[in-house]
Amino acid sequence: MNAAPQGTRTAGGLAGHLDGFVRAVREAGIPVGISQAVDAAEILTVVDLLDREQLRHGLAAVLLQRAAQRPTYDVLFDLWWPLSDRPASGDGAGDGATEGPESTLDVPDDAALAEMMRAELLRLLQDGDPEELRRFARDAVDQLGPGQPTPSGQSYFSYRVLRALSPDTLVAQLLAGLLGDADRGGLAEQVARQTVRDRLAAFRAAVEAEVRRRTAAEKGRDRVAKNAVRPLADQVDFLRAQAADLAELRRAVTPLARRLAVRLSARRRMGREGRLDFRKTVRASLATGGVPVVTHHRPRKVHKPELVVLCDVSGSVAGFSHFTLMLTQALREHFTGVRAFAFVDSTDEVTRFFAPGVDVADAIARIGREAQVVAFDGHSDYGNSFDVFADRYASAVGPKTSLLVLGDGRTNYRQPGVPVLAGLVSKARSAHWLNPEPRRLWGSGDSAADRYGEVIDMVECRNAAQLTDFVTTL
């Protein structure tokens, strides 16, 4: 299938099309520098533009830095370099995507059509040819995907296709076809099951890509791109994170902690030399005619900082607290002492749940069951939580301590406990508050974030990218 967009065969037109694609990739949160954009243009001169998959992999090789960026990239590639002979236009005008070859299926009614296509899908899944599966997905969307026409045009829906074909119900037949006479329960079955899962996932992805292509032809490619692309893991809003997002964030914690460890180690090495020792420097300069060729410095004790984390674990900030506690666990080896405290309307130390080798997800689940973080009604009460912390754990904060408060600062209109927090901040070496709400909402409703910001460094931290930036500069 021709990958080069029709109407952009000239060098200038093709370059402009590539520029729009690179800009969309950058707007989706994938960093693309000028040198990478130049390399992408070079790719167009060395790959076969008629081979769509070769073009996909070639551009990915120069534009992407991490495997986690690939799903976002693939969605955008399918919009800018669609399977059809002509791509959807940026403004949804009449030069959009063509519908491709007409379907050869000719059946009398919807039920017979679905049954026939279901049998064909089973055959294609058994064969495993990805190109044939993509062509079949186009046919399936054309035949089974249309909804009710509207004045704005025809709409297509992937759920209509998947509901009609029910591909997940073909697993048993696919396994039987792949295994043949092989024994069940062994390695052969495990391999076969994984193969079936991969092929079903590829078919669902092909259906969704075809629906996006047709929607882009009607409503415009740029508009579809904004709605179709999921945020990258480090850009997912903590307050809106779903279970799948948290799983992806867990995978991001270890490399994030590793990068932070490198930076922390480098800064500790750079800070090993203390102030200039003037006397030793002058004495040494006598050997060089009074010229201080070599300088001497007083030795400086370099210590790993102590970290105290005070984290709101109420339901309103669950995704945020889960991720920050996971990062706290990963950073423990870089601090002499890490103590973690959780609160809702009371405070309890939860360091015991983060022993070495313990799965962080299990530790967080135990906090919800066993920690004494609820004293009254289970609604956030920052004032009482600060009072309990100052009464029971005041010795945890000292001149070597970095205090980190995590929460949205919404008090349910209860006493915020600002003076107590100010006392803790005055005892600590440094103190920062990470707030997962946008800065524009601080002080609105029951938020006391603006008042807390008067006594502690209040930082907006809505996603992992902002958290990385903050800890890097800490």
Side-chain angles (χ1 to χ4, degrees):
M1 191 63 68
N2 194 347
Q6 190 170 345
T8 59
R9 306 292 178 174
T10 65
L14 185 57
H17 188 78
L18 176 64
D19 179 66
F21 173 63
V22 170
R23 190 171 304 159
V25 171
R26 188 181 292 120
E27 290 175 355
I30 299 175
V32 178
I34 295 177
S35 61
Q36 292 168 291
V38 172
D39 290 341
E42 289 292 329
I43 288 294
L44 297 185
T45 67
V46 297
V47 303
D48 182 1
L49 295 181
L50 300 180
D51 188 332
R52 183 168 176 266
E53 291 309 301
Q54 186 180 133
L55 177 62
R56 180 197 300 270
H57 298 313
L59 291 175
V62 298
L63 295 178
L64 306 183
Q65 296 88 40
R66 304 197 311 271
Q69 299 167 346
R70 187 59 188 256
T72 297
Y73 166 86
D74 282 336
V75 169
L76 294 173
F77 182 89
D78 288 336
L79 286 174
W80 258 258
W81 312 88
L83 190 61
S84 61
D85 289 333
R86 298 175 64 189
S89 66
D91 56 4
D95 61 345
T98 62
E99 298 302 322
E102 292 293 329
S103 171
T104 57
L105 297 171
D106 184 16
V107 291
D109 56 62
D110 292 343
L113 170 65
E115 190 61 32
M116 178 181 290
M117 298 192 76
R118 182 177 163 82
E120 178 66 7
L121 175 61
L122 176 61
R123 184 186 68 79
L124 293 175
L125 288 171
Q126 288 174 333
D127 293 344
D129 185 334
E131 191 64 29
E132 289 297 323
L133 265 181
R134 282 193 287 268
R135 291 196 181 108
F136 177 79
R138 296 180 65 196
D139 238 357
V141 171
D142 184 57
Q143 298 286 343
L144 304 173
Q148 291 296 327
T150 64
S152 61
Q154 177 65 65
S155 296
Y156 294 84
F157 303 93
S158 58
Y159 80 89
R160 293 176 65 91
V161 177
L162 299 177
R163 183 178 62 186
L165 298 179
S166 300
D168 289 332
T169 63
L170 300 174
V171 171
Q173 294 169 269
L174 290 170
L175 281 175
L178 291 174
L179 286 173
D181 298 330
D183 293 335
R184 292 297 185 101
L187 178 60
E189 182 176 351
Q190 295 181 27
V191 173
R193 285 187 179 277
Q194 185 59 50
T195 301
V196 169
R197 283 194 292 267
D198 292 343
R199 291 179 183 177
L200 288 175
F203 173 68
R204 285 191 290 266
V207 169
E208 292 169 358
E210 177 63 14
V211 169
R212 284 193 296 267
R213 182 187 73 82
R214 292 171 182 265
T215 305
E218 292 285 344
K219 300 181 179 180
R221 183 177 52 215
D222 295 331
R223 179 178 174 184
V224 172
K226 291 180 180 178
N227 297 324
V229 174
R230 292 188 60 196
L232 297 174
D234 61 353
Q235 296 175 335
V236 172
D237 194 317
F238 287 128
L239 298 182
R240 295 180 174 83
Q242 305 296 319
D245 298 321
L246 290 176
E248 183 63 34
L249 287 173
R250 287 192 194 99
R251 289 189 284 271
V253 165
T254 300
L256 172 59
R258 188 182 303 116
R259 290 197 300 271
L260 294 176
V262 171
R263 291 166 182 162
L264 287 170
S265 299
R267 293 185 182 188
R268 282 199 292 271
R269 287 194 299 270
M270 291 169 58
R272 279 178 183 152
E273 289 188 343
R275 295 182 179 181
L276 178 69
D277 190 325
F278 184 75
R279 288 187 178 182
K280 285 187 176 182
T281 300
V282 171
R283 191 178 298 118
S285 70
L286 296 177
T288 56
V291 180
V293 175
V294 178
T295 59
H296 292 267
H297 299 262
R298 294 188 180 94
R300 179 175 178 267
K301 292 183 178 179
V302 181
H303 68 278
K304 292 183 181 180
E306 299 173 358
L307 178 65
V308 169
V309 179
L310 186 56
C311 184
D312 181 356
V313 293
S314 60
S316 61
V317 291
F320 176 59
S321 60
H322 283 200
F323 179 69
T324 49
L325 286 175
M326 286 188 287
L327 183 62
T328 300
Q329 169 76 338
L331 288 173
R332 290 186 66 182
E333 62 184 89
H334 311 300
F335 294 82
T336 54
V338 176
R339 297 184 67 179
F341 300 84
F343 69 90
V344 177
D345 59 14
S346 184
T347 304
D348 189 15
E349 182 167 7
V350 296
T351 311
R352 62 188 183 277
F353 298 116
F354 294 94
V358 173
D359 183 78
V360 179
D362 294 338
I364 293 173
R366 286 188 62 196
I367 290 173
R369 296 193 306 266
E370 303 175 30
Q372 302 299 313
V373 295
V374 175
F376 303 108
D377 57 4
H379 293 92
S380 296
D381 188 337
Y382 280 77
N384 188 67
S385 298
F386 290 154
D387 285 338
V388 172
F389 179 81
D391 181 53
R392 298 180 184 174
Y393 310 106
S395 61
V397 180
K400 294 183 179 180
T401 304
S402 292
L403 175 64
L404 201 57
V405 183
L406 313 171
D408 58 7
R410 293 200 170 270
T411 64
N412 289 298
Y413 299 102
R414 297 169 178 174
Q415 290 298 319
V418 175
V420 179
L421 176 63
L424 295 171
V425 171
S426 65
K427 293 170 56 180
R429 178 176 183 173
S430 64
H432 307 273
W433 184 313
L434 304 186
N435 193 324
E437 283 198 335
R439 188 180 297 272
R440 68 179 184 276
L441 299 180
W442 296 357
S444 64
D446 62 342
S447 172
D450 54 342
R451 297 179 61 186
Y452 292 131
E454 296 173 359
V455 299
I456 190 172
D457 176 29
M458 182 75 65
V459 180
E460 179 184 297
C461 185
R462 293 187 292 111
N463 52 50
Q466 289 183 331
L467 180 61
T468 302
D469 292 340
F470 164 74
V471 181
T472 301
T473 59
L474 184 62

